[in-house]
């Protein structure tokens, strides 16, 4: 976080106008509809993204990161949905971990009953 904050601070000092443009674009993102974008207001999407990311972090669900990142995009373009491709390996890894945890729990329970 410190490195990110330092980079942001340097970029703000060097080009403060770009930061103003970025925030203007964020406020106008709801009106930037095009045939390849999905018109969903930014503020509710970011709120849902934060909830999903916090829940995912607290419960060790890595697949929530690409979902949250997609929801938090300033404008959801059809190309932005490509972030969701990351779900495939993350869900596979989570399923494998849950399966292994279940097998371990069954083995431990079976060993204790004998």
């Amino acid at each position: 976080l410190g490195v990110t904050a330092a980079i942001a601070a340097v970029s703000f000092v060097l080009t403060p106008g770009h930061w103003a443009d970025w925030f203007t674009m964020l406020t106008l993102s709801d009106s930037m509809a095009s045939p390849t974008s999905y018109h969903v207001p930014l503020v509710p999407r970011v709120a849902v993204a934060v909830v999903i990311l916090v829940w995912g972090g607290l419960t060790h669900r890595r697949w929530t990161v690409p979902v949250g990142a997609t929801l938090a995009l300033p404008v959801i373009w059809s190309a932005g949905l490509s972030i969701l491709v990351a779900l495939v390996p993350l869900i596979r890894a989570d399923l494998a971990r849950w399966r292994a945890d279940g097998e371990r729990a069954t083995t431990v329970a079976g060993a204790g009953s004998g």
Side-chain angles (χ1 to χ4, degrees), residues 15-60:
T15 57
H18 286 129
W19 280 89
D21 293 344
W22 172 248
F23 287 111
T24 300
M25 192 279 300
L26 289 178
T27 60
L28 299 174
S29 66
D30 293 341
S31 64
M32 297 174 65
S34 80
T36 60
S37 67
Y38 305 94
H39 183 70
V40 182
L42 178 64
V43 173
R45 282 190 290 114
V46 170
V48 170
V50 168
V51 169
I52 288 171
L53 291 168
V54 168
W55 171 73
L58 293 173
T59 59
H60 306 288

